[in-house]
Amino acid sequence: MSGPLTFLAASPHLRGELFENAVILLLEHDEQGALGLIINLQTPQTVSELMADAPGQYEQAWLGGPVDPTLGWCLYQRSVGFEGEVELVAGLYMSSSLEVLRAVMDSKQTYMLVLGYTGWGQGQLAQEARQGVWLWVEQDTPDLLWQVAAAERWDEAFRRLGVNPGTIMPGGAQA
């Protein structure tokens, strides 16, 4: 992956349990559609509770979105040297490989096990952005993920944009 990371911050007017105040790490966006992971919505389960063969993993699992919650993604900071890992930017790797997840857990580094993902069909994300549903936050580093507590990521995304969420009017840009 080249270029900065793109995070999507939900408009303060977006209501609904799953996406209200969501921050999404956008992994893919092209003419076919888009795919991302919510990075500020923890599940009530720990990794050990979800994976009986992973004792001692007390990190909370995360809900990446409503699509295919049986699919797991591992976000982590340092390469473990296995096939199937992708460096998004320096300090942020991703894989959906169980072998990589196990190596990451063994390495004792900070990681997130994210279940499911968010998805948009062809042109859907661009349309939602025009309607003001999502604000795009581009960052050169993964600090928003690793250095900011989950409960503060939405507020911090707006701060990094220099925007007070209370000043945003409903609706998108009009030309």
Side-chain angles (χ1 to χ4, degrees):
M1 185 172 179
S2 61
L5 293 171
T6 300
F7 296 93
L8 303 175
S11 163
H13 306 287
L14 182 60
R15 299 288 180 231
E17 240 176 76
L18 191 59
F19 292 111
E20 188 170 335
N21 295 338
V23 178
I24 297 173
L25 172 60
L26 191 61
L27 298 176
E28 189 173 307
H29 184 217
D30 60 24
E31 60 278 346
Q32 300 301 314
L35 178 140
L37 303 174
I38 299 172
I39 59 162
N40 62 333
L41 186 58
Q42 290 182 316
T43 72
Q45 294 90 18
T46 65
V47 173
S48 287
E49 289 172 332
L50 292 169
M51 298 177 61
D53 61 342
Q57 298 297 315
Y58 301 113
E59 295 82 357
Q60 294 298 126
W62 300 79
L63 182 60
V67 181
D68 198 359
T70 62
L71 178 61
W73 306 81
C74 182
L75 300 175
Y76 53 105
Q77 296 178 313
R78 295 182 318 277
S79 172
V80 292
F82 280 71
E83 190 172 322
E85 64 181 1
V86 176
E87 182 179 22
L88 300 176
V89 295
L92 179 58
Y93 290 80
M94 175 196 73
S95 181
S96 60
S97 162
L98 186 57
E99 181 181 39
V100 170
L101 172 61
R102 291 188 192 291
V104 168
M105 288 189 290
D106 290 344
S107 75
K108 307 285 191 238
Q109 64 177 294
T110 299
Y111 72 95
M112 292 172 63
L113 173 59
V114 184
L115 305 174
Y117 63 93
T118 58
W120 294 266
Q122 184 177 18
Q124 184 181 2
L125 181 57
Q127 177 64 30
E128 289 182 9
R130 282 191 296 277
Q131 293 170 344
V133 174
W134 302 105
L135 283 82
W136 298 65
V137 183
E138 291 191 344
Q139 299 285 286
D140 291 325
T141 69
D143 291 351
L144 186 61
L145 183 66
W146 302 127
Q147 304 300 321
V148 179
E152 299 170 12
R153 288 180 186 150
W154 185 80
D155 288 324
E156 179 62 17
F158 278 90
R159 189 192 69 72
R160 290 178 183 210
L161 284 174
V163 174
N164 176 346
T167 63
I168 296 178
M169 299 298 293
Q174 304 295 319

